[in-house]
Amino acid sequence: MYTLILNGSPRRGGDTSALIGAFCREIRGQVEQIDAYGMKISPCVDCRRCAGGGGCVLNDGMQEIYEKVRMAQVLVLASPLYFSTLTGPLLSLCSRFQAQYMARQKEKRGWEQTKGGLVLLTGGGSTKDPSCAFQTARIVLREMGAGQIRQVASIGTDHLPAREDEEALRQAMAAAREFNSMFA
Ligand SMILES: Cc1cc2nc3c(=O)[nH]c(=O)nc-3n(C[C@H](O)[C@H](O)[C@H](O)COP(=O)(O)O)c2cc1C
C-alpha cells in the first residue's frame, strides 16, 4: 500500500504534524509526505491549454506529483485552517489538479474513485467550524480519485495542542487502521 500525504502546514512539529504523526504510526506500507510550503508549485493560471487536450503549460514539480497521486491507494490532505480554509500553498498545489479534471472532461471519462482519502485539519479556535475546509478538501480528494473519504479535526489548538488532543489523535489512528484493512 502506498500513501501520499499533501501537507499544507508551514510549521514543522506543529499541530497538523501531530495528526499526521498519529496517522503514520498506524498506517502500513510506504508513506510519502509532500510539504506544499517547500514545493514552489505555481497555481493554475486558467490558461485553458488543458481544456484543449494539451496538458499543463506549467512545468514544475507538479508532473511528479500527478504520478505519485496516480500510484497512491491512500491520499491525505492535511492543513491548518487559515481563514476557515486550507492554506494558500496547498490550495495552489491543488488548483493544478484542474489539468486532470479537464483531460477527463475532454475524454468523457470519470474518476474511478477507488482510493481512500483522509482530511486532517487543525484550527486555533477563532473559527470553531471546520466545515468549509472539509468541503473544499473533499472536493479535491474526489478529483484525485478518492471514494472512501474520512475526516478528522483538532480545533482549539490555542488551548489544547493537537498533540494532546486524544480524541483527534485516536480518530487519525483509526482512519489508518481502516485503510489498512480496506487495502490489505
Ligand atoms: C493566517 C492564519 C489564519 C488562521 N485562520 C484560522 C481560522 O480561520 N480558524 C482557526 O480555527 N484557526 C486559524 N488559524 C490558527 C491555525 O489554524 C492553528 O494555530 C493551527 O493549529 C496551526 O497548525 P500548524 O501548527 O500545523 O501550522 C490561523 C492561523 C494563521 C497563521
Side-chain angles (χ1 to χ4, degrees), residues 18-156:
L19 294 190
I20 292 173
F23 173 80
C24 287
R25 278 198 289 283
E26 291 293 326
I27 196 77
R28 295 203 198 109
Q30 189 194 346
V31 181
E32 192 169 357
Q33 179 174 320
I34 291 173
D35 294 314
Y37 272 83
M39 286 300 291
K40 306 223 176 342
I41 300 287
S42 303
C44 172
V45 291
D46 196 13
C47 69
R48 314 279 166 110
R49 185 194 201 218
C50 59
C56 189
V57 75
L58 300 167
N59 189 12
D60 53 16
M62 199 60 202
Q63 324 309 329
E64 214 177 300
I65 296 177
Y66 291 140
E67 184 54 22
K68 290 178 196 286
V69 168
R70 200 184 61 75
M71 283 170 8
Q73 275 90 48
V74 178
L75 294 163
V76 181
L77 281 186
S79 182
L81 295 178
Y82 279 10
F83 300 99
S84 297
T85 190
L86 309 176
T87 59
L90 184 59
L91 283 173
S92 283
L93 188 157
C94 290
S95 72
R96 298 286 297 285
F97 291 116
Q98 177 74 355
Q100 295 183 316
Y101 172 82
M102 293 310 266
R104 282 198 311 281
Q105 291 269 92
K106 194 167 169 56
E107 292 167 21
K108 296 193 174 10
R109 71 188 153 87
W111 260 117
E112 285 181 17
Q113 297 190 316
T114 50
K115 302 174 192 291
L118 174 65
V119 187
L120 297 175
L121 297 178
T122 58
S126 55
T127 309
K128 294 262 187 286
D129 178 9
S131 58
C132 169
F134 272 138
Q135 192 185 1
T136 301
R138 292 178 83 98
I139 290 168
V140 173
L141 282 172
R142 275 200 296 276
E143 276 311 311
M144 294 160 80
Q148 300 281 338
I149 301 176
R150 305 290 178 264
Q151 58 187 44
V152 177
S154 176
I155 304 297

